[in-house]
Amino acid sequence: MSRTIAIASGKGGVGKTTLTANVGIALAKSGFKVLLVDADIAMANLSLLLGMHSSPITLHDVLLGESNVEDAIYDGPGGVKFMPSGLSLESYRRVDSDRLQSVVKQVAGDYDFVLLDCPPGIERTVMASLAASDEALLITMPNPPSIADVLKTKLVAQRLGCNPIGVIINFSTGEKGEVKGEDIMKMLELPIYGVIPMDAEVRRSFMQENVQPLMLRKPDAPASVAMRKIAAKISGAKEAVIAKPARIGFLTRLKNIFKRGKK
Ligand SMILES: Nc1ncnc2c1ncn2[C@@H]1O[C@H](COP(=O)(O)OP(=O)(O)O)[C@@H](O)[C@H]1O
Ligand SMILES: [Mg+2]
């Protein structure tokens, strides 16, 4: 059975896009068919995180009724499929986000999991993403403003018939003063689906020459380990085993340089 899950938060910058990409890859590595949808139609950046730069047809074109949904789905890294959003402000202005629900419905049956990377806040585009999803996973930082905002998202989701299944705490440092998981669980009346530590490797994923999601670049980084656990909690399957990318040794690099020189 196909599951459509909105990855949502109150505030921006709490890790929705990071989570969508990496949890999606972990689910795909466990053998599930996964579609990631960049539902942040105003500030699309899931493509950047996935290291995918050329996507001529996007969700914008589909929402505008100018393209078929199948044509806006691409092969992403780690075995996921991916529907990017457009970057043009002009097309964003004309897009009817209320059509998202019917677009997602058209393709959801082909996948085990459809994850929607939501915009922040509770504006129209967020509501469209929640309405298009059966379930929502909420993400918050362990501080009161972030929790207060995600509580609003939870209530909006419920009103739209989207079932909030749990909360994920991101940017955890374990410092004194951080709101404890137990208290977050009580405040939101939701189970904790995982705690992702603050991990400098997450940001470094953007700094590489070839951007690659953390789950593939550094599967043993603490944030990757936490996100694999979250994927296993979502699916109920065993945690995916992801091999570290092979390091090219000094001798091989030297040989390659030598070979190039000969051409
Ligand atoms: N656990 C983490 N540790 C360190 N940096 C993180 C972590 N999670 C996310 N980030 C960084 O925080 C920023 C915001 O994350 P992002 O996923 O884009 O949030 P959102 O989609 O909610 O706006 C990005 O620069 C990302 O690399
Ligand atoms: Mg985002």
Side-chain angles (χ1 to χ4, degrees), residues 115-235:
L115 304 185
L116 281 86
D117 180 20
C118 293
I122 41 176
E123 306 303 323
R124 193 183 177 113
T125 52
V126 183
M127 292 210 256
S129 312
L130 293 170
S133 310
D134 305 319
E135 302 166 72
L137 257 177
L138 303 176
I139 175 158
T140 184
M141 292 187 195
N143 61 51
S146 189
I147 300 163
D149 285 0
V150 87
L151 179 58
K152 283 185 210 145
T153 310
K154 178 195 163 192
L155 299 175
V156 172
Q158 283 172 325
R159 224 178 295 150
L160 292 166
C162 170
N163 179 29
I165 54 172
V167 60
I168 290 159
I169 303 167
N170 191 16
F171 288 100
S172 167
T173 59
E175 276 171 334
K176 243 177 119 190
E178 232 174 42
V179 183
K180 291 200 185 77
E182 216 176 288
D183 294 329
I184 295 178
M185 202 160 74
K186 274 190 211 142
M187 280 185 249
L188 296 175
E189 295 179 330
L190 285 175
I192 306 277
Y193 260 56
V195 180
I196 309 171
M198 169 89 98
D199 182 346
E201 285 297 344
V202 179
R203 273 201 190 96
R204 268 184 216 135
S205 291
F206 276 116
M207 295 173 194
Q208 311 295 308
E209 204 173 311
N210 294 314
V211 175
Q212 217 194 1
L214 185 70
M215 191 60 74
L216 298 173
R217 190 176 64 78
K218 284 255 161 145
D220 54 351
S224 292
V225 173
M227 290 191 279
R228 263 201 314 282
K229 287 207 173 96
I230 292 169
K233 168 113 180 145
I234 295 171
S235 69

